[in-house]
Amino acid sequence: MSQTAIEEEYSVDVKLLAQQNDAFRAVFPAPQNAGRWLHTQSVAAMGPTFVMKAYAAIGSYDDFNTDIDPYGDHAMGKFTIDGETVWFKIDCYDVDYHYGSDQPDNPEMTRRVLTIMLSRDL
């Protein structure tokens, strides 16, 4: 007799996920097992001062709204620096950075990647 594995449905705690994303954004460089911060070539081309302003702004960002953050997980934001619109996005991967995390609110199973980009990168 064969048995079929029944996958247990996992429910993400969005409030916890938002808190974890906020904590991740607040620390640069990210702790080794938490994830990575990246920025696009367009951001780099703006120069090191611009890049550092962007990193600092992300750490203190709190302008989340339903247009930018429809799920309430604080995974995306938008602000302006020196007349340029800057976006950030946090993606949750498995610990090997190969696939999306099955349990994004579980730090033992998740590594975050924060990408900083300009509007022209979208």
Side-chain angles (χ1 to χ4, degrees):
M1 174 183 260
S2 67
Q3 292 182 338
T4 303
I6 299 174
E7 290 188 33
E8 190 174 312
E9 189 171 319
Y10 183 81
S11 179
V12 175
D13 181 337
V14 177
K15 279 187 165 183
L16 178 59
L17 183 58
Q19 291 171 349
Q20 291 170 346
N21 284 340
D22 289 344
F24 180 73
R25 286 185 304 100
V27 179
F28 177 81
Q32 183 177 1
N33 289 329
R36 302 172 180 162
W37 284 49
L38 309 170
H39 57 267
T40 63
Q41 289 180 345
S42 296
V43 173
M46 298 299 292
T49 300
F50 183 90
V51 172
M52 293 314 298
K53 286 180 184 179
Y55 278 48
I58 288 168
S60 61
Y61 184 84
D62 68 354
D63 191 23
F64 295 102
N65 60 63
T66 55
D67 290 335
I68 300 283
D69 185 39
Y71 303 109
D73 58 2
H74 294 189
M76 183 170 249
K78 173 177 93 165
F79 52 92
T80 302
I81 295 177
D82 299 338
E84 291 282 343
T85 301
V86 179
W87 293 79
F88 71 85
K89 173 74 170 94
I90 299 174
D91 293 296
C92 295
Y93 289 91
D94 66 15
V95 296
D96 296 320
Y97 297 96
H98 291 154
Y99 305 103
S101 177
D102 290 333
Q103 297 180 19
D105 59 347
N106 180 344
E108 297 296 320
M109 298 184 67
T110 302
R111 299 296 177 264
R112 286 171 169 74
V113 175
L114 186 149
T115 306
I116 306 165
M117 61 204 101
L118 301 180
S119 291
R120 60 182 163 265
D121 295 321
L122 300 176

